[in-house]
């Protein structure tokens, strides 16, 4: 999953629950230090979510060299975490926050100590379980413990920490790029924050909602008192207990058969389209394979490609923060439609530029098939550019005759221009994605379902997100070989255009509308 998770699922619930306390006065506007400690500890899961989905970019090349991986094996290493996340998300409702910490620690150790490809793959699957658990449990837990007046601020913190985790992963990629077996350190570092979370979480309580479901209302009252402060009125605490009880009952009242009704299946279709668009635009291919993509663009060494690839995560982080601050002023639909159109232009520009650089050449059976195109020749790990013959030859046939330069090719007059346009196109693509598709689908999804159907609908649409993520992460390298790199980006652009049309016609504006008003809009359609 984008590397974005379900940190905003409770935004719409704020509208419902705030009205329920009007009869007992407004709740305190500031949380206690206890709340911030609790939320920051839990948000380590969001940070690890981002870290473990981002670290593979810089680690993939050295892993390939050590275990001699082919295209399919590399795709499986990347996609294993997503596959594990699907299952982790499915069973997350049965687990507690600290379970994700245990899984993250176990996965980090398995990968860092992996003696072979099979162990590496298992470790990535285990980490994926942790990612899936954290992506579902962490935002829900924050929403259940955060005071209403600062809930939005605290749920956004998880989003920001997730994208920051990706930035930190790339920094670790750079730090260990030239270290012997540095990829083991890249993965192993993830165990440190997970271990800290594991040690702290047993001293922190469950959420009031979880305690009420378990029948422990007295403990729930104590937790609410610690969340809002000792001076909170008794009437307010009792109203909170009642509100949580009522919400639990309403949530249980919905059934999957209710999706046969237009007012329920229409928002479900919209949510699934938004989640599919988020992944089928190819962004996670850029996130997982950023270093590989830049090697395709001419940055041959892993250290140089990783250093430039951090642009992807920094831009994603910065524009996610911007999206959070402006989306309530610009509007969800408007921002989504405009930025997605700009993102498509970035994809087309990437396709054109890679096409100019590599002549849309696909993977050839022999090195001679790349004719005079050095840029495409050197992407093939079995080939290199001959100094004496000025053609593409098998690199193992005469290693001393292989051209050595940062790009692996003789300099051309337009090299700088091509690389400059590639990086600029990548920046436009990533920035536009972060402003729109990276954030808006989760927010819109939190607002278009009724309380009774929200849990089930969110589970379905989130499954669509993970499945599409898995498709993209396990097919990108194969597509670049079968369709060329430029052709792959044109394919993503074509898919995004189709999905943009659906989004333009189907997605309503939900800004400043109550849940009731949004639901009435679907009833009228």
């Amino acid at each position: 999953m984008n590397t974005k998770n379900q940190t905003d699922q409770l935004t719409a619930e704020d509208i419902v629950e705030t009205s329920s306390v009007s009869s007992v006065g407004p709740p305190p506007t500031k949380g206690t230090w206890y709340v911030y400690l609790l939320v920051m500890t839990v948000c380590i899961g969001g940070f690890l979510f981002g870290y473990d989905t981002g670290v593979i970019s810089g680690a993939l090349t050295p892993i390939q060299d050590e275990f001699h991986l082919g295209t399919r094996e590399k795709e499986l290493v990347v996609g294993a975490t997503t596959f594990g996340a699907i299952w982790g998300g499915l069973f997350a409702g049965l687990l507690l926050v600290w379970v994700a910490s245990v899984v993250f620690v176990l996965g980090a150790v398995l990968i860092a100590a992996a003696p072979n490809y099979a162990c590496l793959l298992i470790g990535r699957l285990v980490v994926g379980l942790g990612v899936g658990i954290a992506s579902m449990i962490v935002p829900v837990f924050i929403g259940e413990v955060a005071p209403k007046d600062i809930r939005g601020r605290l749920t956004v913190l998880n989003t920001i920490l997730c994208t920051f985790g990706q930035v930190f992963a790339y920094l670790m990629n750079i730090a260990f790029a030239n270290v012997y077996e540095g990829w083991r350190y890249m993965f192993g570092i993830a165990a440190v924050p997970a271990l800290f979370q594991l040690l702290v979480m047993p001293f922190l309580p469950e959420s009031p909602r979880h305690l009420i479901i378990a029948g422990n209302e007295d403990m729930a009252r104590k937790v609410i008192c610690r969340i809002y402060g000792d001076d909170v009125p008794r009437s307010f605490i009792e109203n909170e207990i009642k509100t949580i009880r009522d919400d639990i009952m309403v949530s249980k009242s919905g059934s999957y058969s209710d999706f046969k009704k237009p007012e329920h299946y229409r928002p479900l279709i919209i949510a699934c389209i938004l989640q599919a668009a988020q992944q089928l635009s190819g962004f996670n291919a850029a996130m997982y394979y950023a270093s590989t993509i830049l090697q395709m663009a001419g940055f041959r060494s892993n250290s140089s490609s990783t250093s430039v690839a951090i642009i992807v995560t920094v831009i994603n982080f910065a524009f996610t923060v911007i999206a959070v601050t402006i989306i309530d002023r610009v509007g969800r639909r408007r921002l989504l439609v405009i930025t997605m159109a700009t993102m498509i232009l970035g994809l087309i520009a990437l396709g054109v530029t890679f096409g100019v650089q590599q002549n849309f050449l696909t993977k050839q059976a022999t090195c001679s098939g790349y004719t005079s195109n050095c840029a495409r020749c050197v992407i093939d790990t079995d080939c290199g550019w001959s100094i004496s013959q000025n053609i593409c030859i098998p690199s193992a046939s005469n290693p001393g005759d292989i051209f050595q330069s940062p790009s692996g090719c003789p300099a051309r007059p337009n090299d700088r221009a091509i690389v400059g346009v590639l990086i600029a196109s990548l920046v436009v693509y990533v920035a536009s994605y972060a402003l729109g598709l990276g954030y808006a689908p989760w927010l819109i999804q939190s607002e278009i379902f009724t309380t009774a159907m929200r849990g089930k609908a969110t589970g379905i649409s989130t499954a669509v997100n993970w499945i599409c993520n898995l498709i993209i992460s396990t097919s990108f390298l194969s597509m670049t070989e079968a369709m060329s790199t430029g052709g792959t980006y044109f394919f993503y652009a074509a898919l995004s255009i189709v999905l943009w049309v659906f989004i333009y016609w189907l997605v309503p504006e939900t800004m400043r509308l109550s849940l009731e008003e949004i639901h009435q809009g679907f009833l009228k359609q």
Side-chain angles (χ1 to χ4, degrees):
M1 165 170 323
N2 172 296
T3 61
K4 298 294 189 299
N5 58 29
Q6 295 87 346
T7 55
D8 302 292
Q9 289 177 358
L10 294 162
T11 303
E13 292 182 3
D14 299 351
I15 301 171
V16 174
E17 294 182 348
T18 300
S19 63
S20 67
V21 299
S22 58
S23 60
V24 294
T29 57
K30 294 182 179 179
T32 61
W33 65 269
Y34 174 79
V35 171
Y36 288 100
L37 172 63
L38 185 60
V39 170
M40 284 300 297
T41 303
V42 173
C43 278
I44 292 173
F47 172 84
L48 288 168
F49 180 171
Y51 186 90
D52 280 308
T53 53
V55 72
I56 189 62
S57 175
L60 189 58
T61 297
I63 287 173
Q64 171 193 335
D65 295 339
E66 179 157 343
F67 294 117
H68 308 291
L69 305 183
T71 296
R72 197 60 193 153
E73 287 81 9
K74 287 189 289 184
E75 289 176 334
L76 288 175
V77 167
V78 174
T81 293
T82 302
F83 183 74
I86 295 173
W87 295 100
L90 284 175
F91 295 106
L94 305 175
L95 305 172
L96 305 177
V97 175
W98 64 266
V99 176
S101 304
V102 175
V103 175
F104 276 126
V105 171
L106 179 60
V109 172
L110 280 173
I111 298 173
N116 51 50
Y117 174 70
C119 187
L120 175 69
L121 203 60
I122 292 171
R124 289 286 289 170
L125 282 167
V126 171
V127 164
L129 290 172
V131 168
I133 295 168
S135 69
M136 294 297 289
I137 290 182
V138 172
V140 172
F141 186 90
I142 294 171
E144 291 177 357
V145 302
K148 297 177 180 62
D149 286 359
I150 60 171
R151 178 177 293 158
R153 191 187 317 161
L154 294 179
T155 52
V156 164
L157 177 64
N158 193 44
T159 300
I160 294 173
L161 278 176
C162 178
T163 53
F164 177 71
Q166 293 169 339
V167 174
F168 189 76
Y170 276 59
L171 290 174
M172 293 301 98
N173 288 344
I174 294 170
F176 294 103
N178 295 315
V179 175
Y180 175 68
E181 293 196 333
W183 64 269
R184 298 184 184 273
Y185 297 99
M186 297 175 192
F187 286 109
I189 283 172
V192 177
L195 187 60
F196 172 78
Q197 186 184 48
L198 180 61
L199 294 174
V200 173
M201 283 305 297
F203 300 98
L204 299 175
E206 289 302 320
S207 70
R209 183 186 181 96
H210 182 86
L211 291 168
I212 290 173
I213 291 173
N216 195 346
E217 290 193 6
D218 289 338
M219 180 58 71
R221 290 183 178 89
K222 292 178 182 179
V223 173
I224 292 172
C225 186
R226 295 189 71 180
I227 288 172
Y228 287 99
D230 293 334
D231 57 346
V232 65
R234 176 76 179 182
S235 58
F236 175 76
I237 294 177
E238 292 305 318
N239 190 75
E240 284 292 286
I241 296 291
K242 180 180 182 301
T243 299
I244 294 171
R245 277 203 229 102
D246 292 345
D247 185 70
I248 291 170
M249 293 302 296
V250 171
S251 299
K252 291 180 177 178
S253 66
S255 67
Y256 286 102
S257 62
D258 290 334
F259 285 120
K260 296 176 182 179
K261 301 174 183 177
E263 65 268 28
H264 295 312
Y265 74 67
R266 284 171 181 158
L268 180 63
I269 290 171
I270 290 171
C272 290
I273 288 174
L274 288 172
Q275 298 294 1
Q278 187 183 81
Q279 296 302 326
L280 297 180
S281 62
F283 176 78
N284 276 325
M287 182 61 65
Y288 302 150
Y289 297 102
S291 293
T292 304
I293 291 168
L294 287 166
Q295 286 175 359
M296 294 175 181
F299 296 89
R300 296 298 299 158
S301 72
N302 186 52
S303 59
S304 61
S305 62
T306 301
S307 298
V308 178
I310 198 172
I311 293 173
V312 175
T313 53
V314 171
I315 294 295
N316 184 39
F317 172 72
F319 279 85
T320 296
V321 174
I322 293 171
V324 168
T325 59
I326 69 172
I327 198 165
D328 283 327
R329 296 197 299 270
V330 177
R332 293 93 162 99
R333 183 182 183 279
R334 181 185 301 175
L335 189 64
L336 182 61
V337 168
I338 293 172
T339 57
M340 194 171 172
T342 309
M343 183 200 74
I344 291 169
L345 293 177
L347 281 170
I348 293 172
L350 282 169
V352 170
T353 314
F354 270 116
V356 169
Q357 184 194 51
Q358 301 172 14
N359 292 340
F360 294 101
L361 281 172
T362 59
K363 183 176 176 61
Q364 302 295 305
T366 62
C367 296
S368 60
Y370 298 115
T371 61
S372 60
N373 191 282
C374 180
R376 183 60 185 88
C377 166
V378 296
I379 294 174
D380 193 322
T381 55
D382 295 326
C383 303
W385 196 253
S386 170
I387 299 172
S388 61
Q389 303 175 63
N390 202 34
I391 59 172
C392 188
I393 63 172
S395 54
S397 63
N398 188 1
D401 189 37
I402 300 299
F403 196 89
Q404 302 296 324
S405 74
S407 66
C409 294
R412 296 183 302 174
N414 63 346
D415 280 348
R416 287 190 175 182
I418 289 176
V419 172
V421 173
L422 275 170
I423 293 176
S425 302
L426 189 61
V427 168
V428 170
Y429 168 55
V430 172
S432 301
Y433 175 91
L435 281 173
L437 272 180
Y439 181 71
W442 297 113
L443 183 55
I444 294 172
Q445 176 175 287
S446 73
E447 298 173 327
I448 60 177
F449 299 118
T450 62
T451 304
M453 302 303 296
R454 186 177 299 121
K456 295 176 177 62
T458 297
I460 294 171
S461 58
T462 300
V464 170
N465 184 291
W466 282 121
I467 291 169
C468 291
N469 186 327
L470 182 64
I471 292 170
I472 292 296
S473 62
T474 57
S475 64
F476 175 73
L477 294 178
S478 296
M479 287 177 65
T480 60
E481 292 181 356
M483 302 171 60
S484 79
T485 309
T488 300
Y489 280 105
F490 280 143
F491 180 77
Y492 291 153
L495 275 179
S496 297
I497 289 171
V498 172
L499 290 163
W500 181 88
V501 172
F502 281 108
I503 288 171
Y504 181 84
W505 287 109
L506 295 178
V507 176
E509 180 56 75
T510 58
M511 184 178 65
R512 299 192 183 96
L513 296 178
S514 68
L515 282 179
E516 291 75 16
E517 290 171 329
I518 295 170
H519 184 57
Q520 286 298 317
F522 286 116
L523 285 171
K524 294 175 182 177
Q525 292 179 359

